């Protein structure tokens, strides 16, 4: 039976039931019909509506409440029934309905506007569905509605002003939707409203002044919107208010002192706004207040609040402001304080640790971090016996850590980093059985790490970075079974790593770098299967790596550089998740395993200064995320694999001091400056950096590359002048190409010292001045291109053999093969003399006419002949010359447009060895022991 037939059968049975109901004397049998129609639009996977059948009385159906005489449905409660589908537009026929609860389902579609006809409706609960569209204006017709909760849906648009007509409303829940626009001022008409929840929408505009009309309001939550402007002072009239949450908006101005009149207020949160000024002392009148959060605003001045007055306060959060001064001395006057959380971080508070805080015996969390507190920590800290979290980091606390801290038996988190604490870590620390985090980094502590620390078996994080701890790592560290971060870098620890370290099986980060630790790695490291970062650099480790390290499959970052490890690196390659591997400056030997290329996310590979041999694996071409590649100072042989051209992200590429041969793969687009360290490559033969995005000036240190015979820096963004130090590169022979940059200044005369140079190209720059006569000494030069600059003056006569295109685009440059300098000047003078002659002739004609009419015929002939001469001299050869100039100009424009300048010709003269890729970046190099530096290529 099809779905249509089934629906028709249900309707037929409903009609039959209605007929039978009439026969049996029921008052309103039609309601069951509309309920079945409602059911037909729903999907009911849990079978909640299975007993909605014409065969049973509707008052026995699940989720329905009927009138005492069993004739009308008063309530529908199908909350959390896993229903989907849409809400029927025909429910309005249930005119006696008082409660409609379809919350916490998966209903879609819009809220039917016909629900506005249910004049007896008192509760409409549609929250936690997937309803969309706007709030229908007809909702405002429900005069008896007391509870409207439609939040946590996909509803959007503005809040309909008709809600202001629901004068009996007590609960309005519109949170977690997509409403925008402003809060309607008509909200002030809801005098019986007890709860207003507008959180997590996109409401903007001001909070309406009329809100004070909600005289019975107890809960106002409008956090996480875009509300702006001042907090209305009229809110002080909401004397019944218990919860006020306006967090994470854009409210500005100061806190109105009238808020101190809300005597029943228990919760006040204004965090994450733009409020400023001083915190009003009138807030101390809120004697019922339990939570006050004013964090992340722009409040300034001293703290004016007192826990002695706010006797019920349990949480005070003032972090992230610009408060100054110290904590008030009368903040806690008795031991009866209920304060549990005090957060004053990220302010400008100063002074010594306020001893009156020790009277707040109920404190569980104290955060004074990121301030300017100074002086020693009080020995009475143990009086805060309930304290679980102590955060004093980023201050200027000094002196020793008091041993009494060991009596704070509930302490779980001790955060003291970035202070000036000195002295030893007291062994009493071992009494803190609940301690899970201890951060003491960036202090000046000294002495040994007490073995008692390993009695804190709940520890998960230890960070002692940047102190002066000495001695060895406690041999019993393996007792810390829950440890996942061990950070001991930059201390003065010595001795070997204790074998028990391998029993810290949950360890994820081990950072022991920058110490004096020695010995070999324990074989027990094989148990550290969750380890993902290990840094041991700058120590004195030695010997081969345990083969069992291959079992560590989760390693991401390994840095063993600057030690004395030896043997193969293969034990470190058990993980395919490596992103960084640095083994620089050790004594590793053997070939580079191709298995390393299985870590496809590898971005940093540094194996320099070892004894590695063999060839560079061609599989490295698969490491497409590689950006730092350093294999320098090894014994590598063979050719550089062309597959490395796939590594497009490489920025640092170092292969010097090996025995490699061949050519480099095509260049990637490099940016930034050419480093000054380029001069360290004293054995460099060829430097090709063309077609990149290099900027800045050409470093003068390049003069140290005495053996270079080919230098190409063209097609970059280089600026500044051509360094005269280039004239010291006397081995330059193949080419010096600086074209297509933004170089300026004059061509240095020192380039005349490059007597072996065969090709020189400085075209398409901003060079000016005269062409140095010293360039005539370049007798080996067979290609020269100075075109498209701002050069001027006369070319040396020896340059007449170069083609015209070598010099075009310099308007003030003259001499063969360009027009001669005299001819250029003469052309200008010729134009002036013709004009002058015409003027003189015209003057003579008019003068002669006045003197003698008799001579008219003769004068007319003379005038005619002169005019003929003038026309001939101005309209013949001059026009032909202009056409010739235009032809050259057009030709040069076409050449420039099509790229037909010297660089194209040079490719024909010196074709690339790579016929498949003419843009190959060739980096010939000769490796010998004289190279002492690194470079970026």
């Amino acid at each position: 039976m099809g779905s249509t037939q089934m629906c028709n059968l249900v309707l037929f049975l409903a009609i039959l039931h209605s007929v039978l109901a009439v026969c049996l004397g029921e008052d309103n049998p039609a309601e069951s019909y509309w309920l079945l129609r409602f059911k037909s639009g729903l999907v009911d996977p849990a079978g909640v509506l299975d007993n909605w059948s014409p065969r049973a009385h509707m008052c026995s159906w699940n989720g329905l409440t009927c009138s005492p005489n069993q004739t009308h449905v008063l309530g529908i409660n199908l909350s959390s029934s896993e229903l989907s589908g849409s809400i029927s537009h025909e429910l309005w026929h249930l005119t006696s309905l008082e409660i409609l609860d379809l919350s916490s389902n998966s209903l879609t579609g819009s809220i039917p506007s016909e629900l506005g006809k249910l004049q007896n409706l008192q509760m409409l609960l549609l929250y936690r569905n997937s309803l969309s569209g706007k709030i229908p204006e007809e909702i405002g017709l429900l005069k008896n509605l007391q509870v409207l909760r439609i939040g946590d849906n996909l509803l959007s648009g503005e809040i309909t002003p008709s809600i202001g007509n629901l004068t009996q409303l007590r609960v309005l829940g519109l949170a977690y939707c997509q409403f925008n626009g402003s809060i309607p001022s008509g909200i002030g008409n809801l005098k019986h409203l007890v709860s207003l929840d507008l959180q997590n929408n996109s409401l903007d505009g001001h909070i309406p002044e009329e809100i004070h009309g909600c005289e019975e309001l107890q809960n106002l939550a409008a956090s996480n919107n875009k509300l702006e402007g001042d907090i209305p002072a009229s809110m002080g009239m909401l004397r019944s208010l218990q919860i006020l949450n306006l967090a994470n908006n854009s409210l500005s101005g100061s806190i109105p002192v009238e808020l101190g009149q809300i005597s029943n207020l228990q919760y006040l949160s204004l965090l994450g706004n733009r409020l400023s000024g001083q915190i009003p002392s009138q807030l101390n009148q809120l004697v019922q207040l339990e939570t006050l959060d004013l964090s992340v605003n722009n409040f300034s001045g001293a703290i004016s609040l007192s826990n002695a007055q706010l006797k019920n306060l349990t949480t005070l959060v003032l972090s992230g402001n610009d408060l100054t001064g110290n904590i008030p001395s009368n903040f806690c006057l008795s031991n009866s304080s209920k304060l549990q959380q005090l957060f004053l971080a990220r302010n400008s508070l100063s002074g010594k640790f306020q001893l009156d805080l020790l009277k707040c015996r109920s404190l569980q969390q104290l955060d004074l971090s990121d301030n300017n507190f100074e002086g020693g920590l009080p020995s009475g800290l143990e009086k805060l016996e309930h304290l679980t979290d102590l955060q004093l980091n980023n201050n200027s606390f000094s002196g020793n850590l008091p041993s009494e801290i060991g009596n704070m038996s509930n302490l779980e988190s001790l955060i003291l980093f970035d202070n000036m604490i000195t002295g030893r870590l007291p062994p009493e620390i071992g009494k803190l059985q609940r301690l899970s985090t201890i951060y003491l980094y960036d202090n000046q502590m000294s002495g040994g790490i007490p073995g008692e620390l390993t009695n804190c078996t709940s520890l998960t994080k230890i960070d002692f970075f940047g102190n002066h701890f000495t001695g060895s790592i406690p041999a019993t560290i393996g007792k810390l079974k829950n440890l996942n971060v061990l950070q001991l870098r930059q201390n003065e620890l010595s001795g070997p790593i204790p074998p028990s370290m391998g029993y810290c099986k949950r360890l994820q980060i081990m950072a022991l770098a920058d110490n004096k630790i020695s010995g070999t790695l324990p074989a027990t490291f094989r148990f550290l299967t969750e380890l993902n970062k290990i840094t041991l650099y700058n120590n004195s480790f030695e010997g081969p790596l345990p083969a069992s390290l291959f079992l560590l499959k989760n390693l991401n970052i390994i840095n063993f550089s600057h030690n004395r490890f030896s043997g193969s690196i293969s034990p470190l390659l058990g993980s395919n998740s490596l992103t960084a591997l640095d083994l620089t400056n050790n004594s590793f030997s053997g070939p580079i395993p191709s298995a390393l290329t299985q870590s496809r996310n590898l971005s940093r590979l540094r194996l320099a200064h070892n004894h590695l041999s063999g060839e560079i694996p061609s599989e490295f071409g698969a490491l497409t995320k590689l950006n730092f590649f350093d294999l320098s100072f090894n014994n590598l042989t063979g050719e550089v694999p062309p597959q490395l051209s796939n590594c497009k992200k490489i920025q640092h590429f170092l292969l010097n001091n090996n025995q490699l041969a061949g050519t480099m793969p095509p260049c990637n687009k490099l940016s930034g400056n050419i480093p000054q360290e380029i001069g360290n490559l004293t054995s460099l033969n060829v430097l090709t950096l063309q077609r990149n995005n290099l900027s800045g000036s050409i470093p003068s240190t390049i003069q140290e590359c005495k053996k270079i015979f080919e230098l190409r820096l063209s097609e970059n963004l280089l600026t500044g002048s051509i360094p005269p130090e280039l004239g010291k590169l006397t081995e330059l022979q193949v080419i010096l190409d600086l074209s297509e940059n933004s170089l300026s200044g004059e061509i240095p005369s020192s380039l005349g010292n490059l007597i072996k140079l065969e090709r020189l190209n400085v075209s398409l720059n901003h060079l000016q001045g005269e062409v140095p006569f010293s360039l005539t000494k370049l007798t080996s030069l067979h290609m020269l291109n100075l075109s498209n600059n701002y050069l001027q003056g006369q070319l040396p006569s020896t340059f007449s053999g170069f083609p015209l295109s070598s010099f075009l685009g310099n308007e003030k440059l003259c001499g063969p093969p360009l027009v001669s300098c005299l001819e250029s000047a003469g052309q200008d003078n010729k134009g002036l003399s013709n004009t002058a002659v015409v003027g003189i002739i015209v003057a003579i004609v008019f003068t002669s006419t006045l003197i003698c009419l008799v001579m008219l015929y003769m004068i007319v002939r003379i005038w005619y002949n002169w005019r003929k001469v003038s026309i001939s001299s101005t309209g013949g050869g001059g026009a032909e010359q202009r056409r010739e100039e235009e032809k050259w100009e057009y030709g040069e424009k076409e050449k420039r447009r099509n790229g037909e300048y010297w660089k194209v010709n040079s490719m024909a003269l010196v074709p690339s060895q790579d016929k498949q890729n003419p843009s190959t970046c060739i980096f010939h190099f000769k490796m010998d022991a004289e190279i002492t530096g690194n470079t970026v290529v």
Side-chain angles (χ1 to χ4, degrees):
M1 182 181 294
S3 59
T4 303
Q5 294 173 317
M6 177 64 73
C7 183
N8 291 335
L9 177 60
V10 169
L11 293 178
F12 170 74
L13 292 175
I15 294 171
L16 179 60
H17 173 260
S18 300
V19 173
L20 293 173
V22 171
C23 296
L24 295 173
E26 291 187 7
D27 289 340
N28 193 8
E31 290 193 3
S32 61
Y33 168 77
W34 298 117
L35 287 168
L36 291 173
R37 294 271 293 181
F38 169 49
K39 175 186 175 181
S40 66
L42 298 175
V43 178
D44 178 23
V48 175
L49 306 181
D50 283 353
N51 72 338
W52 284 34
S53 167
R55 294 186 298 272
H57 193 284
M58 67 178 181
C59 293
S60 66
W61 295 354
N62 288 338
L64 299 188
T65 302
C66 288
S67 60
N69 60 4
Q70 304 287 294
T71 57
H72 298 286
V73 176
L74 302 182
I76 300 177
N77 184 354
L78 296 174
S79 177
S80 303
S81 298
E82 303 180 27
L83 300 173
S84 59
S86 59
I87 301 174
S88 172
H89 290 252
E90 297 172 322
L91 280 177
W92 69 270
H93 291 285
L94 305 176
T95 56
S96 299
L97 199 62
E98 297 176 355
I99 298 174
L100 177 58
D101 186 355
L102 303 177
S103 61
S104 300
N105 284 290
S106 301
L107 301 175
T108 56
S110 60
I111 299 175
S113 59
E114 290 83 356
L115 294 183
K117 299 179 181 181
L118 297 174
Q119 292 298 302
N120 291 306
L121 199 63
Q122 298 176 22
M123 298 179 63
L124 178 58
L125 308 176
L126 305 178
Y127 60 90
R128 291 188 194 141
N129 279 286
S130 297
L131 300 171
S132 57
K134 297 181 179 182
I135 302 175
E137 185 179 353
E138 290 78 2
I139 286 289
L141 300 175
L142 301 175
K143 301 295 185 180
N144 293 303
L145 198 63
Q146 298 180 24
V147 179
L148 175 61
R149 296 183 60 191
I150 56 176
D152 204 353
N153 275 290
L154 303 176
L155 300 169
S156 58
E158 296 187 358
I159 299 174
T160 175
S162 67
I163 279 184
N165 299 330
L166 304 178
T167 56
Q168 300 302 313
L169 203 61
R170 297 183 60 80
V171 176
L172 176 57
L174 305 178
Y176 294 93
C177 288
Q178 302 170 16
F179 295 122
N180 54 31
S182 58
I183 301 173
S185 59
I187 210 85
N189 298 333
L190 309 182
K191 299 184 183 300
H192 301 293
L193 195 64
V194 173
S195 177
L196 174 60
D197 193 352
L198 305 173
Q199 298 179 90
N200 292 82
N201 282 287
S202 296
L203 299 172
D204 54 23
H206 292 204
I207 300 173
E209 288 279 350
E210 293 82 355
I211 200 165
H212 72 271
C214 303
E215 300 172 353
E216 299 180 16
L217 195 62
Q218 297 178 14
N219 176 17
L220 172 55
S223 60
N224 298 298
N225 279 285
K226 301 176 182 179
L227 300 173
E228 57 189 9
D230 295 343
I231 298 174
S234 61
M235 293 186 73
M237 301 170 63
L238 300 174
R239 303 300 171 84
S240 299
L241 202 61
Q242 298 177 17
I243 297 174
L244 176 57
N245 186 358
L246 302 177
N248 296 319
N249 280 284
S250 296
L251 299 170
S252 56
S254 59
I255 297 177
V257 296
E258 288 81 1
L259 292 191
Q261 302 171 10
I262 310 177
S263 56
N264 290 304
L265 201 60
Q266 299 175 17
Y267 180 97
L268 173 58
S269 178
L270 302 177
L271 80 90
N273 281 283
R274 301 174 184 173
L275 300 168
S276 58
Q278 292 190 333
I279 299 173
S281 60
Q282 287 82 354
L283 295 186
N284 285 313
Q285 301 172 17
L286 304 176
V287 294
Q288 301 298 323
L289 200 62
E290 297 176 1
T291 298
L292 176 58
D293 191 345
L294 306 180
S295 59
V296 195
N297 278 285
N298 300 313
F299 294 119
S300 58
I303 298 175
S304 58
L305 302 173
S306 171
N307 187 224
Q309 294 176 270
L310 301 172
K311 296 180 179 180
N312 288 298
L313 197 65
T314 60
T315 301
L316 176 59
V317 189
L318 303 179
S319 304
N321 283 288
D322 194 24
L323 300 173
T324 55
N326 203 338
I327 301 170
S329 59
N330 61 348
F331 189 77
C332 289
L333 291 180
S334 67
N335 297 330
S336 61
S337 168
K338 297 181 181 179
L339 193 63
Q340 297 177 7
Q341 288 90 26
L342 177 59
F343 301 121
L344 303 178
R346 301 186 306 282
N347 278 286
S348 298
L349 299 170
S350 59
K352 296 184 177 181
F353 190 98
Q354 182 56 259
L355 293 178
D356 279 354
L357 282 179
L358 302 180
K359 296 179 181 179
C360 299
R361 298 293 178 84
S362 57
L363 268 181
Q364 297 177 12
Q365 295 174 298
L366 175 61
D367 187 356
L368 305 181
S369 61
D370 293 280
N371 279 287
N372 301 315
F373 291 113
E374 58 186 3
L377 299 178
S379 58
L381 277 174
E382 75 277 7
K383 295 179 181 179
L384 302 177
E385 57 184 352
H386 299 288
L387 202 66
T388 60
D389 297 279
L390 177 61
Q391 293 186 234
L392 305 178
N393 53 283
N394 293 92
N395 280 286
S396 297
F397 288 115
S398 58
N400 295 349
L401 191 61
S403 59
E404 290 83 357
I405 202 167
N407 296 324
M408 305 175 70
S409 57
N410 288 299
L411 199 62
E412 298 175 3
S413 178
L414 178 59
I415 313 295
L416 301 177
F417 65 86
D418 200 2
N419 279 285
M420 296 185 291
I421 298 173
T422 58
R424 303 171 64 90
L425 180 62
E428 289 81 1
I429 202 81
K431 296 162 62 177
L432 303 179
Q433 292 296 306
R434 297 186 180 183
L435 190 66
S436 64
T437 301
I438 179 169
Y439 286 168
L440 302 178
Y441 61 88
D442 285 327
N443 278 286
Q444 301 173 21
M445 301 187 73
S446 58
I449 299 175
E452 290 83 353
L453 180 65
T454 63
N455 294 330
C456 304
T457 54
S458 297
L459 273 172
T460 60
K461 297 177 177 64
I462 297 176
D463 194 338
F464 293 170
F465 166 86
N467 280 281
H468 304 290
F469 287 112
T470 57
S472 59
I473 299 171
T476 54
I477 195 167
K479 294 164 62 178
L480 304 179
K481 306 296 185 183
N482 297 306
L483 195 65
N484 56 58
V485 174
L486 177 61
Q487 170 63 272
L488 301 178
R489 184 186 158 209
Q490 276 194 22
N491 280 282
E492 299 171 23
L493 299 171
S494 58
I497 296 178
S500 72
M501 180 84 79
Y503 302 119
C504 301
K505 295 183 179 181
R506 295 186 180 179
L507 200 61
Q508 298 177 16
I509 297 176
M510 181 195 299
L512 307 180
D514 294 309
N515 279 285
K516 301 175 183 178
I517 305 173
S518 58
T520 59
L521 298 187
T524 55
F525 268 25
R526 66 182 182 275
F527 300 125
L528 302 177
T529 54
E530 295 186 22
L531 197 64
N532 59 60
K533 178 180 180 180
I534 179 169
T535 56
L536 305 179
Y537 58 89
N538 289 343
N539 277 289
S540 299
F541 291 107
E542 59 186 3
L545 301 174
S548 59
L549 292 184
F550 195 81
L551 299 174
L552 306 184
K553 303 296 185 181
N554 291 306
L555 284 172
N556 300 132
I557 298 174
I558 302 174
N559 191 338
F560 287 4
S561 64
H562 299 279
N563 281 285
R564 296 195 293 271
F565 288 113
S566 59
S568 173
I569 69 174
S570 296
L572 296 175
L573 307 183
S575 170
N576 295 334
S577 303
L578 285 177
T579 59
L581 175 63
D582 190 345
L583 305 179
T584 305
N585 202 357
N586 279 283
S587 296
F588 288 110
S589 58
I592 301 175
S594 60
L596 183 60
T597 62
Q598 296 177 10
S599 296
R600 296 302 173 89
N601 291 318
L602 193 65
S603 62
R604 294 176 67 84
L605 177 61
R606 305 190 66 177
L607 304 178
H609 292 273
N610 280 284
H611 305 303
L612 300 172
S613 57
E615 297 185 349
I616 301 174
S618 60
E619 292 89 344
F620 274 10
L623 301 178
T624 56
K625 296 184 179 180
L626 207 60
N627 63 56
F628 200 118
F629 187 65
D630 185 1
L631 304 181
S632 61
F633 293 91
N634 279 286
N635 299 316
L636 300 174
T637 56
E639 295 192 357
V640 179
Q643 291 86 348
L644 287 176
S645 62
N646 297 327
C647 305
K648 303 296 185 181
K649 295 184 178 181
I650 289 184
Q651 299 178 8
H652 299 261
F653 196 94
L654 308 175
L655 299 177
N656 53 294
N657 283 75
N658 282 284
Q659 301 175 27
L660 298 167
T663 62
M664 286 291 291
C667 286
N668 300 308
K669 284 287 185 181
L670 302 176
S671 60
N673 296 342
I674 301 175
Q676 295 288 333
E677 292 80 4
I678 194 77
N680 294 337
L681 301 178
T682 54
S683 296
L684 194 64
N685 297 140
V686 175
L687 178 59
T688 301
L689 298 176
Q690 62 190 29
R691 301 185 186 95
N692 281 289
N693 294 320
L694 297 171
S695 57
S697 58
I698 301 172
S700 60
T701 55
I702 201 170
Q703 64 180 307
E704 302 300 327
C705 303
K706 302 292 187 182
K707 298 182 181 180
I708 196 167
F709 59 80
E710 181 176 344
L711 178 58
R712 299 176 187 262
L713 303 178
S714 61
E715 298 180 57
N716 279 287
L717 306 171
L718 299 173
T719 56
S721 58
I722 300 174
E725 289 82 1
L726 288 181
K728 297 182 179 181
L729 302 178
T730 53
E731 295 299 314
L732 262 178
Q733 178 180 348
V734 177
I735 191 172
L736 171 59
D737 188 357
L738 308 178
S739 62
E740 295 191 51
N741 281 287
S742 296
L743 299 171
S744 58
E746 299 183 353
I747 299 175
S749 60
S750 61
L751 295 188
N753 298 329
L754 308 178
I755 57 176
K756 295 182 181 180
L757 194 62
E758 297 176 354
R759 291 183 289 171
L760 173 63
N761 188 355
V762 294
S763 63
L764 292 161
N765 278 288
H766 305 302
L767 301 173
Q768 56 189 11
E770 297 186 352
V771 178
F773 186 77
S774 62
L775 296 187
T776 60
K777 295 189 294 183
L778 305 181
T779 55
S780 299
L781 206 64
H782 62 76
M783 194 289 300
L784 175 66
N785 194 342
L786 309 179
S787 64
N788 293 287
N789 281 287
Y790 301 102
L791 300 172
Q792 60 185 12
Q794 184 168 352
L795 286 169
S797 59
T798 55
F799 287 176
S800 60
F802 291 105
L804 181 67
S805 60
S806 296
F807 310 104
L808 289 174
N810 295 281
E811 295 182 0
K812 298 184 179 180
L813 200 61
C814 57
L818 300 172
V819 296
S820 69
C821 299
L822 290 176
E823 181 181 353
S824 177
Q827 288 176 351
D828 292 339
N829 293 334
K830 181 178 180 180
L832 292 173
S833 61
N834 289 339
T835 303
V837 168
V838 172
I840 292 172
I841 292 175
V842 173
I844 292 174
V845 169
F846 278 101
T847 303
S848 300
T849 302
L850 295 174
I851 295 174
C852 185
L853 294 174
V854 178
M855 301 294 294
L856 179 61
Y857 176 77
M858 184 180 297
I859 292 172
V860 168
R861 285 183 61 85
I862 293 173
W863 175 83
Y864 177 79
N865 289 336
W866 275 108
R867 189 171 185 274
K868 182 176 180 181
V869 171
S870 174
I871 293 173
S872 175
S873 64
T874 58
E880 182 179 355
Q881 183 175 355
R882 283 194 301 274
R883 286 194 298 272
E884 186 68 18
E885 291 173 351
E886 290 171 358
K887 181 180 72 173
W888 279 107
E889 182 180 2
Y890 175 79
E892 291 307 308
K893 289 180 179 178
E894 284 299 297
K895 286 183 179 181
R896 186 178 303 182
R897 185 157 41 240
N898 297 323
E900 297 176 358
Y901 268 117
W902 165 83
K903 66 174 183 178
V904 176
N905 295 333
S906 71
M907 291 179 67
L909 291 171
V910 186
S912 170
Q913 296 179 3
D914 184 358
K915 296 181 180 180
Q916 300 300 320
N917 188 356
S919 64
T920 297
C921 174
I922 304 176
F923 193 137
H924 295 277
F925 48 94
K926 178 180 179 183
M927 299 299 178
D928 57 43
E930 296 180 3
I931 299 180
T932 59
N934 296 328
T935 186
V936 177
V937 184

